[in-house]
Every structure is written in C-alpha cells, then in structure tokens.
C-alpha cells in the first residue's frame, strides 16, 4: 500500500469510527419503545397496594360496606408490637373508590376505647354527614354505630379521619384514602399509585407516644411523628421503569408534618388533586404538601435501568425552628428495573374548561386572623381573630352567596387552612392555574384571599388549621350557611 492509499484507509477507518456509533444510536432510538407500549414492571406497586372494602350492595352505583374502628396490634418497627387504631384492622383504612354521582353507605361501628366520628375531608356532601359531633351529629361512643350515607358530587382525591380528639386519633393511625373518578376527565398517561403519607410517634419499645408529649411546646410547634409511613409502611419499595410514567395521588394525613417531595429534581407534572383536575397542568421539580392537602401528578422515572434510589422527605420551612438542624428522611425505596428505557408519553396541557373564576362583584368580605396566644393557665390557646373555637361566633352566609375571605397569618408558624363542605378558589393562584381547593397553606407572615360560593347545603360547617395540634388548642371557627 502506498502512502496515498494508506491515507485513504486511515480516513475511511476514522469516518467509520464516527459513523457507526451515530448509526447505532439512530437505530437504537428508532427501536426505543414508548411508554404506552409497555406495562409497569411486574409487582411494581405490590408493596404499596391498599385494601378495598367488600361491597355489600349489588347496585354498581352504590358502594356499601361495614367499617369498624378497632385497635389492632401491628408491627410498625421491626420486632416491636404497637397497638394501632385502625379502620377494619388496616393502616391506612380501606381505599374507598367511587365514580362521580355514586352513593356511599358506610355502616360504621366504634369499637375503640374512646368516642369518635368520621369526617370526609374535602367532600361537598350534606351537612348531616360531615362528621363533626356537637354540630352535625351526635358523638359516636364506644360500642355505638352510625351510618354515613351520601352521594359524591365531585371527582378528586380525598380522605377520611375522625373529627374527635383528632390530633390523638389521627396520630394513632385513623385515616384512609378515597378516590372519586370522573369518567369524562381528560385522559393522561401514567398508572395510578396512591401514596398516603403519615407519621407516628412511637417510643423505643414501639408504644404509642402520649399525644400531648412536649406539652406547651408540642401544642405550639405541632407534633411530628418520629416514624414516617407511606401507606402504613416504613420505607416500602416501588418498582419503576425509566420513562414509564406513573400517576401519583399523594395525600398528607400527618397531624402536623409538612412534606417537601422531590426526586432528583425530575419534573412533576401537576394535574390538580383536591377537587379533581385543575384547568391546566403546571410543572415543578419540588412539591410542598401540607397536612390535609392532596396532589395528583405525573411522575416520570428518571433513573438508569438496574439502579436504585430513595424518595425522601425534605425539611420544609413552616416557621420557627422547623428546618433547624434537620436532615432529609427516607420515604420510599425506588427500584428501577433492568429493562430498556422507554420514551415518555406527552401529557396534555389543558385539562378542563369548566372552571371559571368566581364572580366576586359585591361579595361580602370576611377577615380571618389566625392567632396564637396564652390562656390564664399560661397554656397555648390558638384561635381565629383571637377567639378559641369553643367561644367562636359563626360567620353567617346565605345559600347561594359568594364571599371573599382574607386569611391572614401574622404568627411565626405556617397554618394549612381547611374549609369543610365547600371548595374555594385562591385569588391570584399559582401561575394562574384555576382549581378548586379545600385546603391551602398560609405561610407565616402572609395572607391569602379565597373566594367561596355557598351552594344549597345549609348547616354549621367548620374551618380550621389542619395542623391538628393547632386545631385542638382552638384554631378553628364556625360557618353557618343559612337557607
Ligand atoms: Cu396551625
């Protein structure tokens, strides 16, 4: 081979070295499947599945079942026995799954050593079914029964829990998820995964901690459990495939704990959550979920095949001392199976067109100051406009009226504001996305304006801080909707 030929051969070899991987990459891309073409990995959600109740009613539009609140011994910490307060012996309680317009009949029995009730968080149901003893029903004493019977008017992710001694009872394990589907809702990619987040305060030997532990400081700061649970488990495993989307419905059922969720800063496409879908999607890399709040979003697994990670709880600034000296804590073991990555499907941007801003022309205005003080015994006493809920004078609203509530928080702690029975719109919403909510965070030293229209469900309704320790020491008010 002469010198010139050698030169050609070298050039050809270099070109080939450049082109072959290029061609290979192009072919590999052409061969990559889309998320729609593959299933989730086998047993992907096995560790996170929630039990569903046994339907006693043959009518497909009625779900009727027995629900018993009962103490059950469980192993939360390895090798330790805990007397958990449960619904039907499950932690969390059974998943209630309905369609818009379905009727729910729950034959509830209290087999606990204390009185209780069930509040159906976020549902726009009749006042008599709202589960607040002294206002909407009588207390359900140990051994007594009560039937909850109502029609579910709205789609969304909801949950249920006691409205009696709630900081203690929710802390002991009484909560369960509810999902109401709308068959007309916009189709979005992703297989559904319900993640009910909670925490529990346990002693080293696995006993439930005294719900008033920490005394005055516990009341003020709110009590965060030392054991983090996802669907009642410590560090469950989730399997996923890179690029194969999952639709997560996250519910914060903790008494006090705020959750900041992120996973390698991968985008979370928020669909809404509380009262079904929002008007359109918005995308975040990090999501704050406050007590009582729910989010519905599309998660795209970002990890390489055959690798593992951990979904963590990150400290959230909810006021004085809430992030100081605190580290991230583990929530879910995230296993990406060793199967080729797939190309994610597109998520539609517009989700629903039936939400318009409420007309607030001439709406009556109310100002609610969330307040913290001390009583004559020097115990923490919280309230609204300086009034403890035991002395609260109801806000009055006529059926059909629209009001604008300014919720002002001049305290050093954030307060998640929850209204029973009605949805509101936050005026000046995040990124202009319109959605219906029943729970929203009011960070320390800020205020929010909410518009709410009172439809024809008269009665006495509660609104309160969903840090349950705060509600217990008075941060709750009453709303009387008059016919
Ligand atoms: Cu609060």
């Amino acid at each position: 081979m002469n010198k010139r030929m050698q030169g050609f051969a070298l050039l050809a070899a270099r070109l080939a070295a450049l082109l072959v991987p290029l061609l290979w990459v192009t072919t590999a891309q052409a061969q990559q499947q889309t998320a729609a073409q593959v299933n989730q990995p086998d047993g992907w959600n096995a560790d996170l599945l929630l039990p569903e109740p046994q339907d006693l009613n043959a009518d497909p539009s009625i779900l009727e079942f027995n629900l018993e609140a009962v103490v059950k011994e469980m192993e939360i910490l390895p090798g330790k026995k805990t007397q958990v307060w449960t619904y039907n012996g499950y932690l969390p309680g059974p998943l209630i799954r309905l369609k818009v317009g379905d009727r729910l009949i729950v034959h509830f029995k209290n087999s606990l050593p204390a009185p209780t009730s069930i509040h159906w968080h976020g549902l726009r149901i009749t006042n008599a079914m709202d589960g607040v003893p002294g206002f909407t029903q009588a207390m359900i004493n140990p051994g007594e029964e009560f039937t909850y019977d109502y029609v579910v008017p709205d789609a969304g992710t909801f949950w249920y829990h006691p409205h009696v001694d709630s900081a203690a009872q929710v802390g002991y394990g009484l909560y369960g998820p509810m999902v109401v589907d709308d068959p007309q809702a916009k189709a979005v990619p992703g297989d559904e995964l319900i993640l009910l987040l909670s925490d529990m305060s346990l002693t080293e030997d696995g006993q439930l901690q005294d719900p008033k532990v920490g005394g005055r400081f516990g009341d003020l700061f709110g009590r965060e459990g030392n054991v983090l649970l996802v669907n009642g488990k410590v560090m469950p495993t989730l399997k996923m495939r890179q690029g194969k989307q999952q639709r997560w419905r996250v519910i914060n059922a903790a008494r006090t704990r705020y959750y900041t969720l992120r996973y390698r800063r991968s985008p979370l496409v928020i669909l809404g959550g509380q009262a079904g879908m929002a008007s359109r999607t918005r995308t975040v890399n990090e999501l704050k979920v406050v007590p009582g709040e729910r989010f519905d979003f599309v998660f795209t697994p970002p990890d390489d095949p055959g690798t593992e990670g951990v979904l963590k709880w990150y400290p959230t600034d909810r006021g004085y001392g809430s992030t100081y000296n605190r580290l991230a804590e583990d929530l879910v073991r995230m296993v990406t199976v060793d199967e080729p990555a797939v190309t994610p499907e597109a998520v539609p941007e517009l989700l629903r067109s039936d939400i318009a801003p409420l007309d607030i022309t001439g709406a009556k205005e109310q100002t609610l100051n969330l307040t913290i003080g001390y009583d004559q015994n020097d115990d923490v006493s919280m309230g609204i406009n300086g009034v403890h809920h035991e002395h609260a004078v109801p806000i009055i609203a006529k059926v059909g009226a629209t009001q604008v509530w300014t919720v002002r928080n001049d305290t050093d702690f954030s307060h998640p504001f929850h209204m029973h029975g009605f949805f509101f719109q936050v005026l000046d919403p995040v990124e202009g996305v319109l959605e219906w909510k029943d729970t929203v965070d009011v960070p320390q030293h800020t205020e929010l304006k909410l518009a709410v229209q009172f439809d024809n469900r008269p009665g006495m309704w509660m609104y309160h801080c969903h840090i349950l320790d705060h509600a217990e020491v008075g941060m709750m008010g009453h709303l009387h909707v008059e016919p």
Side-chain angles (χ1 to χ4, degrees):
M1 210 184 276
N2 65 28
K3 244 188 174 165
R4 195 168 165 192
M5 288 288 280
Q6 271 177 355
F8 270 128
L10 197 65
L11 192 67
R14 278 186 184 159
L15 263 173
L18 272 171
L19 280 173
V20 167
L22 241 169
L23 279 169
W24 184 83
V25 166
T26 317
T27 330
Q29 269 175 351
Q31 281 171 349
Q32 179 162 323
Q33 291 176 294
T34 67
Q37 293 172 295
V38 301
N39 291 324
Q40 297 290 347
D42 285 342
W44 67 288
N45 58 353
D47 218 12
L48 288 155
L49 280 176
L50 295 161
E52 293 195 34
Q54 199 195 344
D55 191 357
L56 305 172
N57 199 308
D59 185 331
S61 67
I62 302 176
L63 174 61
E64 181 171 8
F65 64 94
N66 297 319
L67 190 71
E68 185 184 16
V70 61
V71 178
K72 194 188 174 197
E73 188 172 89
M74 284 189 179
E75 190 177 302
I76 306 281
L77 298 175
K80 308 277 167 64
K81 301 285 183 217
T82 304
Q83 302 293 319
V84 180
W85 290 29
T86 72
Y87 291 118
N88 284 358
Y90 297 119
L91 179 73
L95 166 62
I96 300 173
R97 171 135 234 155
L98 301 159
K99 290 188 305 300
V100 171
D102 282 355
R103 180 175 166 198
L104 178 70
I105 305 170
V106 177
H107 302 286
F108 177 65
K109 181 174 187 202
N110 179 10
S111 298
L112 300 169
T116 193
S117 73
I118 303 180
H119 169 59
W120 310 89
H121 183 118
L123 289 154
R124 297 195 303 160
I125 53 182
T126 64
N127 187 254
M129 295 291 117
D130 197 47
V132 183
F135 293 95
T136 69
Q137 68 169 96
M139 190 75 88
I140 309 168
N141 289 307
E144 290 181 349
E145 297 179 16
F146 185 89
T147 296
Y148 291 96
D149 182 347
Y150 56 83
V151 170
V152 289
D154 304 289
T157 308
F158 306 99
W159 62 298
Y160 57 98
H161 63 81
H163 222 277
V164 175
D165 204 6
S166 59
Q169 297 195 2
V170 170
Y172 293 163
L174 287 173
Y175 36 75
M178 184 190 286
V179 173
V180 181
D181 290 310
D182 176 4
Q184 313 295 323
K186 188 97 163 192
V188 294
D191 298 279
E192 183 189 272
L193 183 73
I194 295 161
L195 296 170
L196 189 144
L197 310 175
S198 63
D199 61 10
M200 207 170 245
S201 298
L202 298 180
T203 61
E204 256 174 50
D205 59 353
Q207 302 304 303
L208 291 167
Q209 186 71 259
D210 177 351
K212 284 304 233 181
V213 68
R216 199 165 171 249
F217 181 75
D219 290 338
L220 192 62
F221 188 73
R223 295 168 179 89
E224 296 188 18
N226 55 335
V227 178
L228 273 72
L229 302 172
V230 180
N231 293 2
K233 290 185 175 172
V234 175
M235 188 69 155
T237 296
L238 171 66
K239 290 188 198 167
M240 51 200 182
R241 179 170 179 166
Q242 189 178 10
K244 173 66 181 173
Q245 286 138 315
Q246 300 184 355
R247 179 177 179 178
W248 290 12
R249 290 180 187 265
V250 172
I251 302 165
N252 184 351
R255 288 162 292 172
T256 290
R257 186 182 285 268
Y258 280 43
Y259 286 74
T260 294
L261 299 176
R262 62 170 185 261
Y263 190 69
R264 304 201 197 290
R265 301 271 173 194
S266 59
L268 310 173
V269 183
I270 300 177
L271 307 168
Q274 300 199 17
M277 286 181 166
S279 58
R280 58 179 172 81
T281 57
R282 64 187 176 94
T283 301
V284 297
N285 296 112
E286 179 174 290
L287 186 61
K288 181 171 79 173
V289 191
V290 306
E293 214 176 13
R294 295 87 63 206
F295 279 100
D296 181 0
F297 59 86
V298 176
F299 169 69
T300 307
D303 293 349
D304 292 334
T307 61
E308 235 187 86
V310 176
L311 175 72
K312 289 176 192 279
W313 169 91
Y314 291 95
T316 312
D317 181 10
R318 59 172 185 86
Y320 185 79
S322 54
T323 56
Y324 176 72
N325 203 21
R326 299 186 75 179
L327 303 171
E329 294 180 54
D330 294 348
L331 287 179
V332 180
R333 183 169 157 246
M334 305 276 279
V335 174
T336 304
V337 295
D338 196 6
E339 286 167 22
V342 295
T343 307
E345 292 175 83
V347 182
E349 200 176 310
L350 294 175
L351 296 172
R352 61 191 276 193
S353 52
D354 62 344
I355 311 179
L358 278 177
D359 181 2
I360 53 169
T361 319
K364 187 166 186 181
E365 301 215 11
Q366 310 278 359
T367 299
L368 287 74
N369 268 301
L370 308 176
T371 48
I372 299 181
Y374 297 89
D375 64 14
Q376 60 272 39
N377 302 320
D378 238 9
D379 286 329
V380 176
S381 175
M382 300 196 183
I384 291 170
N385 295 334
V387 181
H388 186 285
H389 76 83
E390 279 170 11
H391 311 292
V393 176
I395 285 178
I396 306 292
K398 290 265 185 243
V399 161
T402 300
Q403 295 194 353
V404 173
W405 289 16
T406 301
V407 184
R408 187 174 297 152
N409 177 6
D410 285 327
T411 75
D412 290 335
F413 294 98
S414 300
H415 302 285
F417 184 82
H418 170 51
M419 188 188 291
H420 284 210
F422 299 91
F423 297 150
F424 52 75
Q425 288 178 350
V426 176
L427 301 183
D428 194 16
V430 182
E431 294 176 33
V433 175
L434 287 170
E435 65 184 311
W436 296 109
K437 282 178 179 281
D438 54 74
T439 308
V440 67
D441 191 35
V442 188
Q444 61 273 25
H445 304 292
T446 65
E447 67 173 39
L448 277 181
K449 281 186 188 291
L450 316 172
V452 54
Q453 186 174 34
F454 301 102
D455 56 271
N456 191 14
R457 285 169 305 112
M460 191 72 95
W461 302 92
M462 305 294 114
Y463 50 89
H464 59 91
C465 174
H466 222 286
I467 289 180
L468 297 174
D469 284 306
H470 290 179
E472 289 290 316
V473 295
M475 199 177 277
M476 176 151 71
H478 312 150
L479 158 74
H480 191 221
V481 177
E482 296 178 343

